[in-house]
């Protein structure tokens, strides 16, 4: 049988090292969470019709429409809002993934898993998940 398993001092050292790794992971995760909660991005569509601000979860927290909307069709305004929203969410995804890599480390399996999940949440399905029939106009309701 392995002598290290039977040696109480070696077992205590292994447990202490394991606890140290767990404590570091917990501290890194808390630091990452705190920093992620502060991420907020504002983006403007290319036509300058809409400015949106999203929080770290990708939720819209502010929408500002410029005077240019008076000269634009409602569909164009809706598309402008959606374009700005996609841009802002992409920027939040990038910033969030940077925070995750900085706090968890680029080699952390937990960090990579969290980063992938955050990216999927903020960016939506990837091209491999898309059947090619997505049309943003189908998601705009007329009132």
């Amino acid at each position: 049988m392995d002598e290290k398993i039977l040696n109480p001092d070696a077992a205590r050292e292994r447990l202490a090292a394991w606890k140290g790794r767990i404590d570091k992971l917990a501290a890194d995760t808390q630091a990452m969470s705190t920093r992620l909660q502060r991420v907020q991005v504002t983006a403007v569509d290319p036509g300058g019709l809409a400015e949106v601000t999203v929080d770290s979860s990708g939720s819209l927290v502010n929408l500002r429409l410029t005077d240019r909307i008076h000269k634009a069709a409602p569909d164009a305004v809706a598309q402008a809002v959606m374009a700005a929203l996609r841009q802002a969410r992409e920027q939040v995804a990038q910033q969030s993934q940077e925070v995750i890599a900085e706090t968890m480390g680029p080699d952390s399996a937990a960090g990579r898993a969290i980063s992938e999940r955050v990216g999927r949440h903020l960016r939506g399905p990837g091209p491999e998940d898309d059947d090619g029939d997505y049309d943003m106009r189908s998601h705009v309701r007329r009132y």
Side-chain angles (χ1 to χ4, degrees):
M1 200 165 238
D2 187 1
E3 299 244 349
K4 289 183 180 180
I5 292 175
L6 298 177
N7 182 334
D9 291 332
R12 274 192 282 280
E13 288 174 18
R14 281 194 309 281
L15 283 173
W18 178 76
K19 183 182 179 313
R21 288 190 303 272
I22 296 300
D23 289 347
K24 180 176 180 349
L25 179 60
D28 290 348
T29 302
Q30 181 60 48
M32 175 193 67
S33 177
T34 299
R35 286 184 59 193
L36 285 175
Q37 288 175 2
R38 287 188 242 145
V39 173
Q40 196 173 72
V41 171
T42 299
V44 179
D45 76 285
L49 296 174
E51 176 184 280
V52 301
T53 301
V54 297
D55 64 13
S56 61
S57 71
S59 295
L60 183 65
V61 295
N62 192 30
L63 169 64
R64 189 179 73 75
L65 301 173
T66 67
D67 288 338
R68 293 180 180 189
I69 66 165
H70 298 294
K71 298 175 186 168
D75 280 349
V77 175
Q79 289 177 12
V81 170
M82 296 304 291
L85 190 56
R86 277 191 306 276
Q87 179 183 351
R89 285 182 174 161
E90 174 62 32
Q91 290 176 18
V92 167
Q94 289 173 356
Q95 287 183 20
S96 296
Q97 289 173 325
E98 289 171 10
V99 166
I100 293 165
E102 290 169 6
T103 55
M104 302 293 288
D107 298 328
S108 164
R112 282 193 306 275
I114 293 167
S115 184
E116 287 172 17
R117 187 168 185 186
V118 166
R120 274 195 312 273
H121 170 75
L122 291 167
R123 293 182 178 113
E128 66 278 357
D129 299 326
D130 190 7
D131 61 8
D133 293 333
Y134 180 80
D135 180 0
M136 181 177 62
R137 290 172 294 188
S138 66
H139 297 281
V140 176
R141 257 190 211 144
R142 293 182 189 263
Y143 294 96

